[in-house]
Amino acid sequence: MPRITSLEELHKLRAELRGEVMQRYEVGTTLVVGMGTCGIAAGARETLRTLSEELARRGIEAHLTITGCIGQCAYEPLVTVHRADAPPVMYGHVTADKVPELVEKHLVQGQVIQEWVVETS
Amino acid sequence: MTTKPRATVLLCSSTGCLASGSAGVREAMSAELQRRKLEDEVQMVIGGCRGFCTMGPVMDIYPGGIFYVRVQPADVSEIVEETLIKGRVVERLCYKDPVTGETIPIFEKIPFYAKQERLILRNCGRINPNRIEEYIAFGGYEALAHALLAMTPEEIIRDVKASGLRGRGGAGFPTGRKWEATRMAEGDIKYVVVNGDEGDPGAFMDRSIMEADPHSVLEGLTIGAYAVGAHQGYIYVRDEYPLAVRNLQIAIDQAREYGLLGENILDSGFDFDVQIMRGAGAFVCGESSALMQSLEGKVGEPRPKHIHATERGLWDRPTCLNNVKTWATIPHIINNGPEWFRRMGTEGSPGTMVFSLVGKVNNTGLVEVPMGISLHDLIYDIGGGIPKGKKFKAVQTGGPSGGCLPAELLHLPVDFDRLTEAGSMMGSGGMIVMDEDTCMVDVARYFLDFLKEESCGKCVACREGIKRMLEILTKITEGQGTMADIERLETLAWTVQQASLCQLGKTAPNPVLSTLRYFHDEYVAHVVDKKCPGGVCRALITYSIDPEKCTGCMVCARKCPQTAISGERRQPHVINPELCIRCGVCRDLCRFDAVVVE
Amino acid sequence: MITFTIDGQTVQTEEGKTVLEVARREGIPIPTLCYHPAVEPYGACRMCTVEVELHGRTRLETSCTIPAQEGMIVRTNTPDVYKVRQTLMGLFLSRCPNVPLIQELAAQYGVTEPPYPTDTPDEKCILCGLCVRVCQNVVKAKALNFSERGITRRVGPPFLEKTRDCIGCGACTIVCPTGAIEIVMEKLAVYKEKPLGPTSAIYVPSLQAVPRVPVIDTDVCIRFRQNDRTNGRIADACGVCQMMCEANAINFDQEDEIIELEVGAIIVATGFHMWDPTQLSQYAYGQSPNIITGLEFERLSNAGGPTGGEILLADGRKPESVAIIHCVGSRDHNAHPYCSRICCMYALKQAHLVRDKTGAEVYEFYMDMRAFGKAYEEFYERIQEEGVFMIRGKGAKVEVLPDGKLRVKGENANLGVMVSVDVDMVILATAIEAQPDADRIASLFGLGRTEDGFFAEAHPKLRPVETNTEGIFLAGACQGPRDVPDTVAHTGAAVSMALALLDKGEVTISPAIAWVNEELCSACKTCIALCPYRAISFIEEDNVARVNEALCKGCGTCVAACPAGAITGRHFTDEQILAQIEGLFRLPVEQLEGVGS
């Protein structure tokens, strides 16, 4: 634990630590793709692949993970977007062709695509 | 993809939530994460108290800031499954607005919080108090660095004076003037002291801050020490706050490691160190001169006030004693400047104030608001109004020595001087809301009972005076009072106020005097009509069953401890007044609101 | 200097004085219960509350704690102040309804009945803290303190158990305003109310003392006692006398000075000692404060005494009847066989004083009336005419009755009947005797003692002021009981003889003294230890013992003791003695059996 001996050192330390702490709140974006049987049947594998490529192509850092059947099978493939300071948004019928728009509108521009949203209540 | 944790669970582990079982939740969460193999993806962080303790244990989940209340270990697996894995909100664990019924999953959107101006409470609940790194990450110790390295003590005092900050411990003395007096006092050895005694029953602002954001106190204290020229500080924490002591000690140790406390702080050449001292269970030790006696190892008895502690305090040396909240405010004033501080609050009382809003109000907890907000807004907008549709009757401000203000004064802005004028006081920020089912005479009696136990006993006025006032009030609540008793009560109260040695005695009559002033008719009702309008004083009330409403379910009859209720199934029941002890069980149990108290 | 006003009066004081101190100085009355000038002000009773106006603010403050400040306006008796004191007295009276001090003060504020119910009617302690402050800060025994908090607060030693830290100094009982603390002595307290001796460790011996300055009795003084008791750890206890002395005349560090003088004559005038009659238990001395010795009565009757010269009983009443008993411890084979000479006359005098000052009946129990001096007999007759009851018969017994009266029993030998009389006061004409340290003085000066214990004069008839040692004279009662005129005469004689001696410049001594034959002396030093007059010294350089001819009295002890036979008694050699014996028996020595071998 180094002793802090000047304002500059404090600022430097803060910058370092801030990253570590803020990632708790701004853990970045997490995309959850439903990969239960219903999801796979609806084409979620392709959605997942396309998402992965699109994120890599655009250089967007995001955590991609899969989940099982949530119980909204009629809306599969389901992709839920988790972002900091916003409630999770669940999109339904996200086939592979819809992926670029999703990435562009929601992840880059920060806009929720209301028509695709599935209510979770 | 990324290997950093993708989600964070922030679990409050301060005293309130611990008491409602957050330790069990933590264990369950830890186990569940392991079972689901999510330990690398989801990090668990221990958070501090943000003052919402009635809702505890509380939990935040990021990303998104989802806020769950009253979480039990049995809920954990559902949370992990639904929120952490499937990304869905578990609605039944969300906060429900008691007035609108709305479910509000996001912490910052809850009106109780949204309407606050959380300045000194802002770290409470969002950082792990046992990691100084988190405090620094959120901007901590910037003020100290600036103060030590770029300001002179005189400049600091000038800024604190200009900010108009007044002591948040109760007296509201201008902090800048106190610091200046300490600085000007003769002597090389000076002390700074944190008053963490928080004796007001039910008050927990200082506890929250000491537990959840201990560094804010240390930072403010160090700045103050530099300003007044002290090299030794003491934090006096009441013995009943072991977690605060623990967290403060960890904070002190960590600050020392980082060179933010101890010798040559931040390489500035300024030495300052801090020691924690624990109280021993006396409300009177919250009074500054009694506190200093206690710190010296003597019996906590106050001294006459004309001896200023800033000249002759601890061990007869100049001492600057301030409340936890006052010290915690200092870094913000240094960071943002005195004008910024003055823009909040009122002319006479700038800045924000932390209140503990409790009692018959929907949203209870710690509230930090700018000074000047009206009592009405505080109680209705933030507090959410009176539960169960009852009517507001009174609000007591300032702890057991505060006064009770009636509905006519709800428009009053919350401000040191305005509250004192009205016959109450700001005190340490306690605010107890009372509804129509409260008896004001009983309230006065209740607080005098507390003060009688806590009086140090040194001066006659307080020791004997409080005892006799309590005797009279008890007489009145038992239906034995006379109008002459009320007169005698007034004279006694006035004398105790005038002749007591310290503020405990001088303010002890406030509950009596303010209730006499604003609720005189209630006293008269007790004495002349032998009735208790609030329905509390057992000797003066009767319980009966409204035959229209009673469905004859027999629940009350079965539960009555005196078997005073009789009745057939599906027939209206009757309470035998001879046997009834007015315990209130039947009223609490009745689902049809058929029990009438008058 | 600070100027301010009290009740409209402008006063000045130096900085640091409290308003109460100034008020007291000016004679402005402010009631107090917990204030005492010897201890720090405490502010517990709140009775000294006054109205203080300063810098435009008016407040009620306690005058014992608030320091006087420039421009202060103090009002000691406004309606608000009166109301506060009145309410406070109501509280006090309800706590301690049977304490006279509280009753009186409460009555001054119109409170005659306790307004609130009393828990313990016998409560005397008002928790003023004076005893605690005195014990903690002045005496520094720290045996007393407060315990508990709030309404259950109380004063006492730790856990209310007897503590050895209490030195029994009584300071707490002196400062306690309500009498809540009592000193309980192992034997019955004798002088509870009217002490006839010194009342404090620092006292002026008497108003006629020369010089008339106080002395400190270091056996009783708290400072010295604490210092000795704690081996110097508490070296600065009390010191209140020094604090109070405005002339700064008290110096605790004064040491005894040993002054060496070379003189030609010494007059021993060490006086007499009043015997303690406790040992004659039939007189019950010590069991009632109203049984006193003759000397104690003198103190009582003295205008500079504790009562200003009034004859009063211990409880302050005038006696209605007094008995005087002669020969207590004199002419008594159980005590002193001799007559103390002075008592008969002073007993008559005391009877006269009692009659004159109180008009009480006086009963004198005497054996013989010794009225031997000039106008003594005439005085005796006068006293009889004053109506004093003279009872010839030794007062045999004094009983203390339950109501405090004293029953004197004796025999009226003239009438041949037993007499019993109940009186309020008994004066015991106690024996006078040699001082307790007469032994030490005698050996210091080589004085003899007669059988009665007083110092031996050289000849009972012809040489009353001289001793067996030339140059040492006796004056006054140390030689034997005598009254004032006789003492004056005796002393005059001693002084004249001393002056004559000094004038002559030399003393004549008896030639019959011892002489050491230094050639025979073996330096065994036996004779030196034996000499009762310390007349033999050992001379180091010559390694012999040598007799001081001026000191030697010729007693012959060393002559007999010397193992070497080196010491001769001049004019008392063996040959001379044998020659004398021969002369006595007119026989040749050889013919006497067992002699000369």
Side-chain angles (χ1 to χ4, degrees), chain B residues 83-98:
Chain B
T83 309
L84 288 171
I85 295 181
K86 294 186 180 163
R88 299 202 290 193
V89 169
V90 180
E91 290 221 348
R92 67 173 177 84
L93 290 173
C94 288
Y95 172 82
K96 234 198 203 87
D97 188 305

PDB file of all heavy atoms in Angstrom, chain B residues 83-98:
ATOM      1  N   THR B  83     -32.899 -12.911 -11.904  1.00  0.00           N
ATOM      2  CA  THR B  83     -32.283 -11.633 -12.229  1.00  0.00           C
ATOM      3  C   THR B  83     -30.892 -11.800 -12.800  1.00  0.00           C
ATOM      4  O   THR B  83     -30.546 -11.201 -13.805  1.00  0.00           O
ATOM      5  CB  THR B  83     -32.222 -10.743 -10.985  1.00  0.00           C
ATOM      6  OG1 THR B  83     -33.507 -10.683 -10.389  1.00  0.00           O
ATOM      7  CG2 THR B  83     -31.756  -9.339 -11.344  1.00  0.00           C
ATOM      8  N   LEU B  84     -30.076 -12.634 -12.124  1.00  0.00           N
ATOM      9  CA  LEU B  84     -28.689 -12.710 -12.555  1.00  0.00           C
ATOM     10  C   LEU B  84     -28.541 -13.524 -13.827  1.00  0.00           C
ATOM     11  O   LEU B  84     -27.673 -13.254 -14.647  1.00  0.00           O
ATOM     12  CB  LEU B  84     -27.827 -13.298 -11.440  1.00  0.00           C
ATOM     13  CG  LEU B  84     -27.612 -12.333 -10.268  1.00  0.00           C
ATOM     14  CD1 LEU B  84     -26.944 -13.025  -9.103  1.00  0.00           C
ATOM     15  CD2 LEU B  84     -26.780 -11.137 -10.710  1.00  0.00           C
ATOM     16  N   ILE B  85     -29.401 -14.556 -13.961  1.00  0.00           N
ATOM     17  CA  ILE B  85     -29.252 -15.406 -15.142  1.00  0.00           C
ATOM     18  C   ILE B  85     -30.225 -15.008 -16.237  1.00  0.00           C
ATOM     19  O   ILE B  85     -29.842 -14.775 -17.370  1.00  0.00           O
ATOM     20  CB  ILE B  85     -29.420 -16.883 -14.738  1.00  0.00           C
ATOM     21  CG1 ILE B  85     -28.252 -17.263 -13.797  1.00  0.00           C
ATOM     22  CG2 ILE B  85     -29.447 -17.770 -15.974  1.00  0.00           C
ATOM     23  CD1 ILE B  85     -28.274 -18.680 -13.350  1.00  0.00           C
ATOM     24  N   LYS B  86     -31.480 -14.876 -15.858  1.00  0.00           N
ATOM     25  CA  LYS B  86     -32.450 -14.590 -16.906  1.00  0.00           C
ATOM     26  C   LYS B  86     -32.682 -13.101 -17.102  1.00  0.00           C
ATOM     27  O   LYS B  86     -33.392 -12.697 -18.025  1.00  0.00           O
ATOM     28  CB  LYS B  86     -33.769 -15.272 -16.577  1.00  0.00           C
ATOM     29  CG  LYS B  86     -33.662 -16.780 -16.611  1.00  0.00           C
ATOM     30  CD  LYS B  86     -35.002 -17.439 -16.426  1.00  0.00           C
ATOM     31  CE  LYS B  86     -34.837 -18.949 -16.459  1.00  0.00           C
ATOM     32  NZ  LYS B  86     -36.012 -19.623 -15.890  1.00  0.00           N
ATOM     33  N   GLY B  87     -32.148 -12.317 -16.273  1.00  0.00           N
ATOM     34  CA  GLY B  87     -32.278 -10.897 -16.496  1.00  0.00           C
ATOM     35  C   GLY B  87     -33.654 -10.346 -16.214  1.00  0.00           C
ATOM     36  O   GLY B  87     -34.043  -9.317 -16.753  1.00  0.00           O
ATOM     37  N   ARG B  88     -34.430 -11.011 -15.369  1.00  0.00           N
ATOM     38  CA  ARG B  88     -35.766 -10.507 -15.079  1.00  0.00           C
ATOM     39  C   ARG B  88     -35.845 -10.024 -13.640  1.00  0.00           C
ATOM     40  O   ARG B  88     -35.131 -10.492 -12.770  1.00  0.00           O
ATOM     41  CB  ARG B  88     -36.801 -11.605 -15.302  1.00  0.00           C
ATOM     42  CG  ARG B  88     -36.818 -12.094 -16.724  1.00  0.00           C
ATOM     43  CD  ARG B  88     -38.117 -12.732 -17.036  1.00  0.00           C
ATOM     44  NE  ARG B  88     -38.244 -13.989 -16.318  1.00  0.00           N
ATOM     45  CZ  ARG B  88     -39.201 -14.887 -16.601  1.00  0.00           C
ATOM     46  NH1 ARG B  88     -40.065 -14.640 -17.541  1.00  0.00           N
ATOM     47  NH2 ARG B  88     -39.271 -15.985 -15.909  1.00  0.00           N
ATOM     48  N   VAL B  89     -36.747  -9.074 -13.440  1.00  0.00           N
ATOM     49  CA  VAL B  89     -36.905  -8.499 -12.110  1.00  0.00           C
ATOM     50  C   VAL B  89     -37.893  -9.337 -11.304  1.00  0.00           C
ATOM     51  O   VAL B  89     -38.929  -9.717 -11.803  1.00  0.00           O
ATOM     52  CB  VAL B  89     -37.433  -7.054 -12.239  1.00  0.00           C
ATOM     53  CG1 VAL B  89     -37.856  -6.503 -10.893  1.00  0.00           C
ATOM     54  CG2 VAL B  89     -36.373  -6.169 -12.864  1.00  0.00           C
ATOM     55  N   VAL B  90     -37.523  -9.635 -10.067  1.00  0.00           N
ATOM     56  CA  VAL B  90     -38.449 -10.367  -9.194  1.00  0.00           C
ATOM     57  C   VAL B  90     -39.343  -9.342  -8.510  1.00  0.00           C
ATOM     58  O   VAL B  90     -38.953  -8.695  -7.537  1.00  0.00           O
ATOM     59  CB  VAL B  90     -37.672 -11.171  -8.123  1.00  0.00           C
ATOM     60  CG1 VAL B  90     -38.634 -11.927  -7.225  1.00  0.00           C
ATOM     61  CG2 VAL B  90     -36.700 -12.133  -8.792  1.00  0.00           C
ATOM     62  N   GLU B  91     -40.529  -9.176  -9.005  1.00  0.00           N
ATOM     63  CA  GLU B  91     -41.355  -8.066  -8.547  1.00  0.00           C
ATOM     64  C   GLU B  91     -41.737  -8.113  -7.078  1.00  0.00           C
ATOM     65  O   GLU B  91     -41.820  -7.079  -6.430  1.00  0.00           O
ATOM     66  CB  GLU B  91     -42.628  -8.010  -9.379  1.00  0.00           C
ATOM     67  CG  GLU B  91     -42.343  -7.584 -10.780  1.00  0.00           C
ATOM     68  CD  GLU B  91     -43.380  -6.615 -11.285  1.00  0.00           C
ATOM     69  OE1 GLU B  91     -44.434  -6.462 -10.620  1.00  0.00           O
ATOM     70  OE2 GLU B  91     -43.139  -6.007 -12.337  1.00  0.00           O
ATOM     71  N   ARG B  92     -41.960  -9.291  -6.582  1.00  0.00           N
ATOM     72  CA  ARG B  92     -42.455  -9.321  -5.203  1.00  0.00           C
ATOM     73  C   ARG B  92     -41.393  -8.833  -4.225  1.00  0.00           C
ATOM     74  O   ARG B  92     -41.689  -8.480  -3.106  1.00  0.00           O
ATOM     75  CB  ARG B  92     -42.926 -10.722  -4.821  1.00  0.00           C
ATOM     76  CG  ARG B  92     -41.801 -11.723  -4.741  1.00  0.00           C
ATOM     77  CD  ARG B  92     -42.254 -13.059  -4.208  1.00  0.00           C
ATOM     78  NE  ARG B  92     -41.113 -13.953  -4.242  1.00  0.00           N
ATOM     79  CZ  ARG B  92     -40.200 -14.015  -3.284  1.00  0.00           C
ATOM     80  NH1 ARG B  92     -40.328 -13.283  -2.204  1.00  0.00           N
ATOM     81  NH2 ARG B  92     -39.155 -14.828  -3.395  1.00  0.00           N
ATOM     82  N   LEU B  93     -40.114  -8.792  -4.685  1.00  0.00           N
ATOM     83  CA  LEU B  93     -39.067  -8.322  -3.787  1.00  0.00           C
ATOM     84  C   LEU B  93     -38.760  -6.837  -3.994  1.00  0.00           C
ATOM     85  O   LEU B  93     -37.913  -6.274  -3.343  1.00  0.00           O
ATOM     86  CB  LEU B  93     -37.782  -9.138  -4.011  1.00  0.00           C
ATOM     87  CG  LEU B  93     -37.857 -10.582  -3.530  1.00  0.00           C
ATOM     88  CD1 LEU B  93     -36.614 -11.342  -3.963  1.00  0.00           C
ATOM     89  CD2 LEU B  93     -38.004 -10.653  -2.025  1.00  0.00           C
ATOM     90  N   CYS B  94     -39.495  -6.239  -4.943  1.00  0.00           N
ATOM     91  CA  CYS B  94     -39.232  -4.818  -5.176  1.00  0.00           C
ATOM     92  C   CYS B  94     -39.978  -3.956  -4.171  1.00  0.00           C
ATOM     93  O   CYS B  94     -40.961  -4.378  -3.566  1.00  0.00           O
ATOM     94  CB  CYS B  94     -39.686  -4.429  -6.595  1.00  0.00           C
ATOM     95  SG  CYS B  94     -38.628  -5.089  -7.852  1.00  0.00           S
ATOM     96  N   TYR B  95     -39.525  -2.723  -4.055  1.00  0.00           N
ATOM     97  CA  TYR B  95     -40.194  -1.761  -3.177  1.00  0.00           C
ATOM     98  C   TYR B  95     -41.530  -1.381  -3.782  1.00  0.00           C
ATOM     99  O   TYR B  95     -41.645  -1.132  -4.969  1.00  0.00           O
ATOM    100  CB  TYR B  95     -39.292  -0.531  -3.050  1.00  0.00           C
ATOM    101  CG  TYR B  95     -39.930   0.634  -2.336  1.00  0.00           C
ATOM    102  CD1 TYR B  95     -39.959   0.691  -0.958  1.00  0.00           C
ATOM    103  CD2 TYR B  95     -40.504   1.686  -3.060  1.00  0.00           C
ATOM    104  CE1 TYR B  95     -40.532   1.747  -0.303  1.00  0.00           C
ATOM    105  CE2 TYR B  95     -41.082   2.751  -2.402  1.00  0.00           C
ATOM    106  CZ  TYR B  95     -41.100   2.777  -1.029  1.00  0.00           C
ATOM    107  OH  TYR B  95     -41.667   3.832  -0.384  1.00  0.00           O
ATOM    108  N   LYS B  96     -42.542  -1.353  -2.920  1.00  0.00           N
ATOM    109  CA  LYS B  96     -43.861  -0.945  -3.382  1.00  0.00           C
ATOM    110  C   LYS B  96     -44.222   0.360  -2.723  1.00  0.00           C
ATOM    111  O   LYS B  96     -44.199   0.472  -1.502  1.00  0.00           O
ATOM    112  CB  LYS B  96     -44.878  -2.024  -2.944  1.00  0.00           C
ATOM    113  CG  LYS B  96     -45.709  -2.562  -4.055  1.00  0.00           C
ATOM    114  CD  LYS B  96     -46.951  -3.256  -3.519  1.00  0.00           C
ATOM    115  CE  LYS B  96     -47.453  -4.231  -4.547  1.00  0.00           C
ATOM    116  NZ  LYS B  96     -46.871  -5.535  -4.499  1.00  0.00           N
ATOM    117  N   ASP B  97     -44.572   1.351  -3.511  1.00  0.00           N
ATOM    118  CA  ASP B  97     -44.938   2.643  -2.951  1.00  0.00           C
ATOM    119  C   ASP B  97     -46.215   2.483  -2.127  1.00  0.00           C
ATOM    120  O   ASP B  97     -47.223   2.044  -2.624  1.00  0.00           O
ATOM    121  CB  ASP B  97     -45.152   3.656  -4.084  1.00  0.00           C
ATOM    122  CG  ASP B  97     -45.334   5.066  -3.545  1.00  0.00           C
ATOM    123  OD1 ASP B  97     -46.226   5.285  -2.688  1.00  0.00           O
ATOM    124  OD2 ASP B  97     -44.575   5.947  -3.962  1.00  0.00           O
ATOM    125  N   PRO B  98     -46.153   2.847  -0.856  1.00  0.00           N
ATOM    126  CA  PRO B  98     -47.292   2.572   0.021  1.00  0.00           C
ATOM    127  C   PRO B  98     -48.543   3.382  -0.332  1.00  0.00           C
ATOM    128  O   PRO B  98     -49.642   3.024   0.019  1.00  0.00           O
ATOM    129  CB  PRO B  98     -46.790   2.962   1.406  1.00  0.00           C
ATOM    130  CG  PRO B  98     -45.580   3.777   1.178  1.00  0.00           C
ATOM    131  CD  PRO B  98     -45.035   3.445  -0.157  1.00  0.00           C
TER     132      PRO B  98
END
